[in-house]
C-alpha cells in the first residue's frame, strides 16, 4: 500500500473526508487513516488514484507525501534541503504552498524561498511547464510536503450548476455536494434510486460516474418527474424515471444498490400522509424495504432524521450539518441496512 495525501476543499469541515472514505470503500480497497487535519487527509491505501480523481468533488489535489514537519519556515527549508524529493535528472519543478486558515507563521514570500531551497540542490525550475509540481500544505501546526499526482476536475461542476441545466428550480443541492453524497453511498455499479428526485441533480452526478451505474428517479409531481427526465436525457443515458408516491413505491424489496435523496422541505411541495412526521416515517420505511441488505443510503433534510432512520431499522454511520443560511441548515445522514 502507498501513502497518499488529499488536499481537501474548505467548503465543508467533514464531508470531504467522508467522500474520500466512501469512494475507497465503493471499490473494496484497503485504507488506513494516518493523519487527519483541517483540509487535509493522509491515508495508506491500495486505491487506484486515477479512479479516485475521476470521482471526487470536494478534493483539490492528491499528493504522494515526501516529508512532514512542524509548520515553521526554517524547519520546512531544512527538510526540503535534504529529503529525497524523487526528481529525475533533467526534470523541472514548481513549488506551491497552501496555508490553511491564514498564513500564520508562514510569510507570503515563503513559496519563493522553498523553491530556491530545492533549486540550490541543482534542480531546474519551470513556472509554466514543470515536469513535477510539489505542494506544501501548512495546516494544524504541521507542513505536509509532497508530489502532486492527480487533481480532480472541479470545473466540470460549475458547468453543471443548477441554473445551467435544461430544467431548473432554486434551492436544490449544488453539483459538488450532490456528487459528494453519491460517493458517500459507496455505489460502484448497479441501481441507484432517488425516490424524491426533484430536478434530478443527484442522479445526474451518479450517472456520470460510470456506465455501470443505472439511476432511477421518481417523484409524485408530474412536473418534477418530467424535469428529472429532461435533465438526465441531457447528461446521460443509463436512467429510468417514473411518477410515483414515495410512500408506496412500485419497486421490488431488496433490489436497490444505493439510495440518495434530499427530502422535500414542505414549503411548496405536496406532502402525502396524515402529517409531515408520518410522511417521513413511512417514506423511510419504503427506502429501507427496497434497499439491498449491506448497502447504504444518504438522507438529506433540514432537520435531523437519525431517530426515524434507526426506528426503521437502519444503522446510522455518520451525520453532517451544512449551514446554508440563517433559516436553513441541511442535515446529511449516512445509513446502512445491515445484513440480518
Amino acid at each position: 500500500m502507498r501513502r497518499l495525501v488529499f488536499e481537501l476543499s474548505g467548503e465543508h469541515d467533514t464531508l470531504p473526508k467522508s467522500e474520500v472514505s466512501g469512494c475507497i470503500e465503493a471499490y473494496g480497497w484497503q485504507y488506513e487513516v494516518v493523519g487527519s487535519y483541517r483540509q487535509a487527509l493522509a491515508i495508506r491505501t491500495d486505491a487506484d488514484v486515477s479512479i479516485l480523481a475521476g470521482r471526487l468533488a470536494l478534493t483539490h489535489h492528491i499528493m504522494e507525501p515526501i516529508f512532514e514537519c512542524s509548520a515553521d519556515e526554517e524547519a520546512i527549508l531544512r527538510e526540503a534541503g535534504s529529503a529525497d524529493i524523487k526528481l529525475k535528472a533533467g526534470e523541472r519543478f514548481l513549488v506551491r504552498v497552501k496555508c490553511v486558515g491564514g498564513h500564520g507563521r508562514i510569510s507570503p514570500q515563503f513559496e519563493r524561498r522553498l523553491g530556491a531551497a530545492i533549486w540550490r540542490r541543482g534542480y531546474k525550475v519551470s513556472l509554466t511547464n514543470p515536469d513535477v509540481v510539489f505542494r506544501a500544505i501548512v495546516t494544524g501546526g504541521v507542513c505536509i510536503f509532497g508530489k502532486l499526482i492527480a487533481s480532480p476536475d472541479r470545473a466540470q461542476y460549475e458547468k453543471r450548476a443548477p441554473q445551467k441545466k435544461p430544467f431548473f428550480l432554486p434551492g436544490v443541492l449544488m453539483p459538488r455536494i450532490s456528487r459528494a453524497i453519491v460517493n458517500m453511498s459507496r455505489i460502484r455499479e448497479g441501481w441507484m434510486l432517488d425516490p424524491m428526485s426533484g430536478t434530478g441533480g443527484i442522479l445526474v452526478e451518479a450517472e456520470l460516474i460510470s456506465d455501470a451505474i443505472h439511476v432511477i428517479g421518481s417523484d409524485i409531481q408530474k412536473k418534477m418527474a418530467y424535469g428529472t427526465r429532461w435533465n438526465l436525457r441531457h447528461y446521460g443515458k443509463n436512467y429510468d424515471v417514473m411518477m410515483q408516491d414515495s410512500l408506496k413505491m412500485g419497486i421490488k424489496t431488496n433490489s436497490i444498490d444505493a439510495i440518495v435523496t434530499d427530502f422535500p422541505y414542505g414549503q411548496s411541495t405536496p406532502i402525502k400522509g396524515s402529517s409531515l412526521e408520518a410522511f417521513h416515517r413511512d417514506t423511510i420505511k419504503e427506502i429501507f424495504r427496497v434497499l439491498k441488505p449491506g448497502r447504504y443510503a444518504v438522507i438529506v433534510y433540514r432537520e435531523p432524521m437519525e431517530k426515524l432512520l434507526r426506528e426503521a431499522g437502519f444503522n446510522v454511520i455518520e451525520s453532517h450539518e451544512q449551514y446554508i443560511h440563517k433559516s436553513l441548515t441541511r442535515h446529511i445522514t449516512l445509513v446502512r441496512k445491515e445484513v440480518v
Side-chain angles (χ1 to χ4, degrees), residues 21-320:
S21 299
C23 278
I24 293 174
E25 292 182 15
Y27 294 88
W29 293 318
Q30 300 299 308
Y31 74 102
E32 175 191 2
V33 175
V34 295
S36 182
Y37 313 93
R38 184 180 174 189
Q39 290 184 228
L41 180 68
I43 66 171
R44 186 179 291 108
T45 183
D46 59 352
D48 185 318
V49 172
S50 63
I51 292 177
L52 292 179
R55 286 189 62 150
L56 291 169
L58 301 181
T59 293
H60 285 294
H61 304 288
I62 304 174
M63 305 188 321
E64 184 178 82
I66 295 173
F67 67 80
E68 182 178 318
C69 65
S70 64
D72 174 78
E73 289 191 6
E74 298 308 316
I76 300 168
L77 292 174
R78 283 195 301 271
E79 290 288 343
S82 60
D84 180 8
I85 58 175
K86 303 175 184 178
L87 270 176
K88 299 176 183 177
E91 285 187 327
R92 297 173 296 175
F93 75 93
L94 174 66
V95 172
R96 288 287 180 252
V97 176
K98 169 68 174 180
C99 294
V100 178
H103 288 285
R105 291 179 294 170
I106 304 299
S107 66
Q109 296 77 30
F110 180 66
E111 187 172 273
R112 180 174 294 182
R113 292 185 65 199
L114 183 54
I118 299 174
W119 171 78
R120 282 194 292 269
R121 296 176 62 179
Y123 299 110
K124 295 182 178 180
V125 177
S126 174
L127 300 179
T128 56
N129 190 30
D131 299 295
V132 174
V133 175
F134 295 115
R135 294 191 64 83
I137 307 172
V138 180
T139 177
V142 303
C143 172
I144 306 168
F145 182 91
K147 175 183 177 181
L148 178 66
I149 55 177
S151 296
D153 176 16
R154 284 169 49 87
Q156 63 173 305
Y157 302 104
E158 300 303 325
K159 297 175 183 177
R160 295 196 295 275
Q163 67 273 18
K164 296 179 182 179
K165 289 184 170 73
F167 180 73
F168 162 68
L169 287 175
V172 298
L173 295 172
M174 298 302 288
R176 283 199 294 265
I177 298 298
S178 293
R179 173 62 67 91
I181 63 176
V182 167
N183 284 331
M184 286 168 57
S185 77
R186 279 81 173 152
I187 184 71
R188 175 182 178 180
E189 59 185 12
W191 301 84
M192 200 203 89
L193 168 69
D194 183 348
M196 294 163 285
S197 56
T199 64
I202 290 172
L203 298 174
V204 167
E205 293 307 318
E207 205 277 337
L208 288 174
I209 289 173
S210 169
D211 288 344
I213 298 174
H214 190 112
V215 300
I216 305 171
S218 69
D219 203 285
I220 195 171
Q221 294 187 80
K222 185 176 182 180
K223 173 184 177 181
M224 293 301 188
Y226 274 100
T228 293
R229 183 182 296 275
W230 193 1
N231 283 338
L232 285 172
R233 183 183 295 124
H234 182 76
Y235 290 101
K237 56 186 177 181
N238 296 330
Y239 63 86
D240 286 294
V241 180
M242 64 190 82
M243 191 173 73
Q244 68 171 355
D245 185 356
S246 62
L247 298 174
K248 192 174 182 181
M249 294 188 280
I251 298 175
K252 289 177 61 176
T253 299
N254 299 335
S255 63
I256 299 297
D257 296 284
I259 297 174
V260 183
T261 194
D262 183 10
F263 266 69
Y265 300 159
Q267 292 95 331
S268 59
T269 307
I271 300 295
K272 290 193 69 174
S274 57
S275 67
L276 191 59
E277 183 176 354
F279 167 75
H280 292 157
R281 182 185 63 246
D282 294 342
T283 295
I284 289 171
K285 286 181 179 179
E286 272 292 271
I287 288 172
F288 185 87
R289 178 185 68 81
V290 302
L291 186 65
K292 290 180 180 178
R295 302 304 174 91
Y296 295 84
V298 181
I299 307 299
V300 182
Y301 189 52
R302 66 180 182 184
E303 296 175 3
M305 299 285 269
E306 289 94 330
K307 182 176 182 291
L308 291 177
L309 288 163
R310 288 192 179 96
E311 288 175 353
F314 281 112
N315 178 22
V316 175
I317 306 299
E318 60 192 34
S319 296
H320 310 264

